[in-house]
Amino acid sequence: MKITFSWLGAVNTLLYIFILAPLAVVIIASFHPGEFLIFPPEGFSWRWYEYVLTSGRYTKPFWNSIWIAIATTCISLPVGTIIAYALSRYEFRFKGVIQSLFLSPLVVPTLLFGIGLLMFFSSMGIKMYFLRLVLAHIVLTIPYVVRTMIASFSNLKRSIEEASVILGASPVKTFWLVTLPQVKSALIASAFISIVMSFDELVVALFLTGPGMNTLPMMIYSDIQFNLSPSLAAISSLIIVVTLAVGFLLAVFMQRKKRI
Amino acid sequence: MIKRIPPYWILLAPGMLIFILVFVIPVGRLGLHSFHENSSDGEAGQAFVWDHYVKFFTDPYYLQILGRTLVIALTVSVICLIMGYCLAYGASRAKENRKMILLMLVALPLLTSATIRNFGWIIILGRKGLLNELLLGIGIIQKPLSLLYTPTGVVIALVHVLLPYMVLVLYSVLEGIDRNLESAAANLGASKPKVFVLVTLPLSMPGIIAGTLLVFSITLSFFVTPSLIGGPKVQLMATEIYNQMINLLNWPYASALSVILLVTVLIVTSLYNRSLSRSKTGGATLI
């Protein structure tokens, strides 16, 4: 077998190492048996994984993040989908402006959005931290849902929907039974993006939560600053492995869909 | 007679309601707040003053923060461009079945939060971190380098966070280039480097501009990395805004800083959108 050396190949190998190194380092460090985070680890143990899963320290923040992500997605997915449907099926005045409005959270820095919301909520006296975060995350995730769904709706053939209406189905029934099943994979992708973004969101959470309401990213952020320990590496590794696995499965699923 | 409400308004209504209440009004108030006099309660009806903007543009300390932010964003963009071009070019010229894997290796880390990736960099860049141990071990350096809490460390970690964006933009442009043009140039006698410089590089220019502007605009307002890797020693716009807001409780000044940052970001973003709409590469505009 002939192996050809190429400069590009060599450089890119180094770049892939650069990309994967921080993730690999966190995972490797999580197996250190001692109390303090050191690299490379001196020995191998599952001790910190056991601690993360059984100590309860991370349990509450984890469930807070999960419930916030689920509540966010339950609203941003349907709302974003009907926005995308309206924008891709109807022509009307100010359509461009309205589309820009729904995509603008992509441009306004999250930090500024967080500050604006903190001022807003405190002047309104809204102290329910769960509600604050869900509302903020809905605004942050809708642009992604809208963008994904617009792309998917505009690929559909209108004739199938028209056939359904001609055969006597109401517009709502047509949307539910004919249009939505055709964009199923885009819906799954949007839901996935929305859950991951909300679960991982840190900046807005730093501004909007208060006593008794900690999310997992906030916990990790403050542990990095004040409490570097192998348990931090273990919880981070769990998050890395789970997100990458789900992302990988989704990519494979989408790729197969495309081929059919 | 009441006209029937068109169906699209009914469909858009829930989203509009959420966006006006939770997005437009809060961000608008941020702008208004930047003209208020100093006080932390933020009640309306206070005097309308320019003080905070005057303070920003006359105090070298704050101008220096803006300057440092711009310099770091530019450095990150250029490094991302060079690294991203190598990766995107490699992936776009790879065999069909390897393309997907190469792209996924770049894109999947995008899914894990910047916080966790920065944590990895802290382990690597620390005084007793992996990199220093490695370099000391080989004998390249005699004393450990200080990388954490320096602009260099911030740049390294930011490049890592933003590289996937650059690769994805450049890849879509490089995939769109008609390969026959390269073959034609080669057939006419151009050497490989010449084909690249005279054909491929100019044709990928829209992607280069778009990718650089995208990375530049995201870096300007990035908070997590300067806060974790830079610490108090490397103040950027985002960390200074957080500091004014949370530690000093100077909300009006934090608002003014935010408006200045927002305007800077919007200028870069509109350049980005214009560069994309001028090229027919089909890349996604931000708005």
Short mmCIF file of all heavy atoms in Angstrom, two decimals, chain A residues 204-237:
data_model
loop_
_atom_site.label_atom_id
_atom_site.label_comp_id
_atom_site.label_asym_id
_atom_site.label_seq_id
_atom_site.Cartn_x
_atom_site.Cartn_y
_atom_site.Cartn_z
N VAL A 204 -27.85 33.92 29.93
CA VAL A 204 -29.12 34.46 30.39
C VAL A 204 -29.43 33.95 31.80
O VAL A 204 -29.90 34.69 32.66
CB VAL A 204 -30.24 34.11 29.39
CG1 VAL A 204 -31.60 34.29 30.02
CG2 VAL A 204 -30.13 34.99 28.15
N ALA A 205 -29.13 32.67 32.04
CA ALA A 205 -29.40 32.09 33.35
C ALA A 205 -28.64 32.83 34.45
O ALA A 205 -29.17 33.03 35.55
CB ALA A 205 -29.04 30.61 33.36
N LEU A 206 -27.41 33.26 34.16
CA LEU A 206 -26.62 33.98 35.17
C LEU A 206 -27.35 35.24 35.64
O LEU A 206 -27.24 35.64 36.79
CB LEU A 206 -25.26 34.39 34.59
CG LEU A 206 -24.19 33.32 34.47
CD1 LEU A 206 -22.93 33.91 33.87
CD2 LEU A 206 -23.88 32.70 35.82
N PHE A 207 -28.08 35.88 34.72
CA PHE A 207 -28.79 37.10 35.09
C PHE A 207 -30.15 36.83 35.72
O PHE A 207 -30.58 37.57 36.58
CB PHE A 207 -28.99 37.99 33.85
CG PHE A 207 -27.72 38.64 33.38
CD1 PHE A 207 -27.08 38.19 32.25
CD2 PHE A 207 -27.18 39.70 34.08
CE1 PHE A 207 -25.91 38.78 31.82
CE2 PHE A 207 -26.02 40.30 33.66
CZ PHE A 207 -25.37 39.84 32.53
N LEU A 208 -30.85 35.81 35.22
CA LEU A 208 -32.27 35.70 35.55
C LEU A 208 -32.62 34.78 36.71
O LEU A 208 -33.74 34.82 37.20
CB LEU A 208 -33.07 35.28 34.32
CG LEU A 208 -33.04 36.26 33.15
CD1 LEU A 208 -33.98 35.82 32.07
CD2 LEU A 208 -33.38 37.66 33.61
N THR A 209 -31.68 33.93 37.16
CA THR A 209 -32.08 33.07 38.27
C THR A 209 -31.79 33.76 39.59
O THR A 209 -31.19 34.84 39.63
CB THR A 209 -31.34 31.73 38.28
OG1 THR A 209 -29.96 31.99 38.31
CG2 THR A 209 -31.72 30.88 37.11
N GLY A 210 -32.23 33.11 40.64
CA GLY A 210 -32.01 33.68 41.96
C GLY A 210 -31.90 32.55 42.96
O GLY A 210 -31.73 31.40 42.56
N PRO A 211 -32.03 32.88 44.24
CA PRO A 211 -31.85 31.86 45.28
C PRO A 211 -32.75 30.64 45.06
O PRO A 211 -33.92 30.79 44.70
CB PRO A 211 -32.27 32.58 46.56
CG PRO A 211 -32.35 34.03 46.22
CD PRO A 211 -32.33 34.19 44.76
N GLY A 212 -32.17 29.46 45.22
CA GLY A 212 -32.97 28.24 45.14
C GLY A 212 -33.16 27.73 43.73
O GLY A 212 -33.79 26.70 43.53
N MET A 213 -32.65 28.45 42.73
CA MET A 213 -32.85 27.99 41.35
C MET A 213 -31.50 27.99 40.64
O MET A 213 -31.04 29.01 40.16
CB MET A 213 -33.82 28.95 40.64
CG MET A 213 -34.15 28.55 39.23
SD MET A 213 -35.27 27.15 39.24
CE MET A 213 -35.27 26.78 37.51
N ASN A 214 -30.87 26.82 40.64
CA ASN A 214 -29.57 26.67 40.01
C ASN A 214 -29.73 25.78 38.80
O ASN A 214 -30.40 24.77 38.87
CB ASN A 214 -28.62 26.01 41.01
CG ASN A 214 -27.24 26.57 40.94
OD1 ASN A 214 -26.91 27.27 39.99
ND2 ASN A 214 -26.42 26.24 41.92
N THR A 215 -29.11 26.15 37.68
CA THR A 215 -29.15 25.22 36.54
C THR A 215 -27.79 24.54 36.44
O THR A 215 -26.80 25.01 37.01
CB THR A 215 -29.45 25.94 35.21
OG1 THR A 215 -28.36 26.79 34.89
CG2 THR A 215 -30.73 26.74 35.31
N LEU A 216 -27.73 23.45 35.71
CA LEU A 216 -26.49 22.69 35.59
C LEU A 216 -25.35 23.52 34.99
O LEU A 216 -24.23 23.52 35.53
CB LEU A 216 -26.74 21.41 34.79
CG LEU A 216 -25.71 20.31 34.97
CD1 LEU A 216 -25.51 19.96 36.43
CD2 LEU A 216 -26.12 19.07 34.20
N PRO A 217 -25.59 24.26 33.88
CA PRO A 217 -24.50 25.09 33.34
C PRO A 217 -23.98 26.12 34.34
O PRO A 217 -22.78 26.37 34.40
CB PRO A 217 -25.12 25.78 32.12
CG PRO A 217 -26.24 24.91 31.72
CD PRO A 217 -26.76 24.29 32.98
N MET A 218 -24.89 26.70 35.16
CA MET A 218 -24.45 27.68 36.16
C MET A 218 -23.57 27.03 37.21
O MET A 218 -22.57 27.60 37.65
CB MET A 218 -25.66 28.30 36.87
CG MET A 218 -26.43 29.27 36.04
SD MET A 218 -27.90 29.77 36.90
CE MET A 218 -27.19 30.54 38.36
N MET A 219 -23.97 25.82 37.60
CA MET A 219 -23.22 25.06 38.59
C MET A 219 -21.81 24.79 38.06
O MET A 219 -20.82 24.96 38.76
CB MET A 219 -23.96 23.75 38.81
CG MET A 219 -23.40 22.91 39.87
SD MET A 219 -24.45 23.06 41.28
CE MET A 219 -23.72 21.81 42.31
N ILE A 220 -21.74 24.35 36.79
CA ILE A 220 -20.44 24.05 36.19
C ILE A 220 -19.60 25.31 36.08
O ILE A 220 -18.40 25.32 36.42
CB ILE A 220 -20.63 23.39 34.81
CG1 ILE A 220 -21.26 22.00 34.99
CG2 ILE A 220 -19.32 23.28 34.05
CD1 ILE A 220 -21.66 21.33 33.71
N TYR A 221 -20.23 26.41 35.67
CA TYR A 221 -19.52 27.68 35.53
C TYR A 221 -18.92 28.12 36.86
O TYR A 221 -17.74 28.50 36.93
CB TYR A 221 -20.50 28.73 34.99
CG TYR A 221 -19.97 30.13 34.90
CD1 TYR A 221 -19.16 30.53 33.85
CD2 TYR A 221 -20.30 31.08 35.87
CE1 TYR A 221 -18.68 31.82 33.75
CE2 TYR A 221 -19.84 32.38 35.78
CZ TYR A 221 -19.03 32.74 34.73
OH TYR A 221 -18.57 34.03 34.66
N SER A 222 -19.70 28.04 37.94
CA SER A 222 -19.15 28.53 39.21
C SER A 222 -18.13 27.53 39.76
O SER A 222 -17.17 27.94 40.41
CB SER A 222 -20.26 28.83 40.21
OG SER A 222 -20.83 27.65 40.67
N ASP A 223 -18.32 26.22 39.47
CA ASP A 223 -17.31 25.26 39.92
C ASP A 223 -15.97 25.47 39.21
O ASP A 223 -14.92 25.28 39.81
CB ASP A 223 -17.80 23.82 39.65
CG ASP A 223 -18.65 23.31 40.82
OD1 ASP A 223 -18.82 24.06 41.79
OD2 ASP A 223 -19.12 22.16 40.75
N ILE A 224 -16.02 25.85 37.92
CA ILE A 224 -14.77 26.10 37.21
C ILE A 224 -14.02 27.25 37.88
O ILE A 224 -12.80 27.23 38.03
CB ILE A 224 -15.03 26.43 35.72
CG1 ILE A 224 -15.57 25.19 35.00
CG2 ILE A 224 -13.75 26.91 35.04
CD1 ILE A 224 -15.93 25.44 33.56
N GLN A 225 -14.77 28.25 38.35
CA GLN A 225 -14.11 29.40 38.97
C GLN A 225 -13.63 29.13 40.39
O GLN A 225 -12.59 29.61 40.78
CB GLN A 225 -15.06 30.60 38.97
CG GLN A 225 -15.25 31.18 37.58
CD GLN A 225 -16.23 32.33 37.59
OE1 GLN A 225 -17.31 32.23 38.15
NE2 GLN A 225 -15.85 33.42 36.96
N PHE A 226 -14.42 28.37 41.16
CA PHE A 226 -14.11 28.30 42.59
C PHE A 226 -13.84 26.90 43.12
O PHE A 226 -13.46 26.75 44.26
CB PHE A 226 -15.27 28.92 43.40
CG PHE A 226 -15.63 30.29 42.94
CD1 PHE A 226 -16.84 30.54 42.33
CD2 PHE A 226 -14.72 31.33 43.10
CE1 PHE A 226 -17.16 31.82 41.91
CE2 PHE A 226 -15.04 32.61 42.67
CZ PHE A 226 -16.26 32.86 42.07
N ASN A 227 -14.07 25.85 42.33
CA ASN A 227 -14.03 24.52 42.91
C ASN A 227 -13.61 23.48 41.87
O ASN A 227 -14.37 22.59 41.54
CB ASN A 227 -15.43 24.20 43.48
CG ASN A 227 -15.50 22.85 44.12
OD1 ASN A 227 -14.48 22.34 44.61
ND2 ASN A 227 -16.68 22.25 44.12
N LEU A 228 -12.40 23.65 41.32
CA LEU A 228 -11.93 22.70 40.30
C LEU A 228 -11.70 21.35 40.96
O LEU A 228 -10.81 21.20 41.77
CB LEU A 228 -10.60 23.20 39.72
CG LEU A 228 -10.63 24.18 38.56
CD1 LEU A 228 -9.21 24.50 38.12
CD2 LEU A 228 -11.44 23.65 37.40
N SER A 229 -12.54 20.37 40.61
CA SER A 229 -12.35 19.05 41.21
C SER A 229 -12.65 17.99 40.15
O SER A 229 -13.28 18.29 39.14
CB SER A 229 -13.28 18.88 42.42
OG SER A 229 -14.44 18.20 42.03
N PRO A 230 -12.19 16.75 40.40
CA PRO A 230 -12.48 15.70 39.41
C PRO A 230 -13.97 15.45 39.21
O PRO A 230 -14.38 14.97 38.16
CB PRO A 230 -11.79 14.47 40.01
CG PRO A 230 -10.76 15.00 40.92
CD PRO A 230 -11.32 16.27 41.47
N SER A 231 -14.80 15.81 40.21
CA SER A 231 -16.23 15.59 40.02
C SER A 231 -16.78 16.51 38.94
O SER A 231 -17.69 16.15 38.19
CB SER A 231 -16.98 15.82 41.34
OG SER A 231 -17.02 17.18 41.65
N LEU A 232 -16.19 17.69 38.83
CA LEU A 232 -16.55 18.62 37.77
C LEU A 232 -16.23 18.01 36.40
O LEU A 232 -17.02 18.10 35.45
CB LEU A 232 -15.79 19.93 37.97
CG LEU A 232 -15.91 21.01 36.91
CD1 LEU A 232 -17.35 21.42 36.75
CD2 LEU A 232 -15.07 22.21 37.32
N ALA A 233 -15.06 17.34 36.33
CA ALA A 233 -14.69 16.68 35.08
C ALA A 233 -15.66 15.54 34.77
O ALA A 233 -16.02 15.31 33.61
CB ALA A 233 -13.26 16.15 35.16
N ALA A 234 -16.10 14.84 35.82
CA ALA A 234 -17.01 13.71 35.60
C ALA A 234 -18.36 14.18 35.08
O ALA A 234 -18.89 13.63 34.10
CB ALA A 234 -17.18 12.91 36.90
N ILE A 235 -18.94 15.20 35.70
CA ILE A 235 -20.25 15.66 35.23
C ILE A 235 -20.13 16.24 33.80
O ILE A 235 -20.98 16.00 32.94
CB ILE A 235 -20.90 16.68 36.22
CG1 ILE A 235 -22.29 17.12 35.75
CG2 ILE A 235 -20.08 17.93 36.40
CD1 ILE A 235 -23.37 16.15 35.98
N SER A 236 -19.01 16.96 33.54
CA SER A 236 -18.80 17.49 32.19
C SER A 236 -18.68 16.37 31.17
O SER A 236 -19.23 16.46 30.07
CB SER A 236 -17.54 18.35 32.15
OG SER A 236 -17.63 19.40 33.07
N SER A 237 -17.96 15.30 31.55
CA SER A 237 -17.80 14.17 30.63
C SER A 237 -19.14 13.54 30.29
O SER A 237 -19.41 13.19 29.14
CB SER A 237 -16.90 13.09 31.24
OG SER A 237 -15.69 13.65 31.58
#
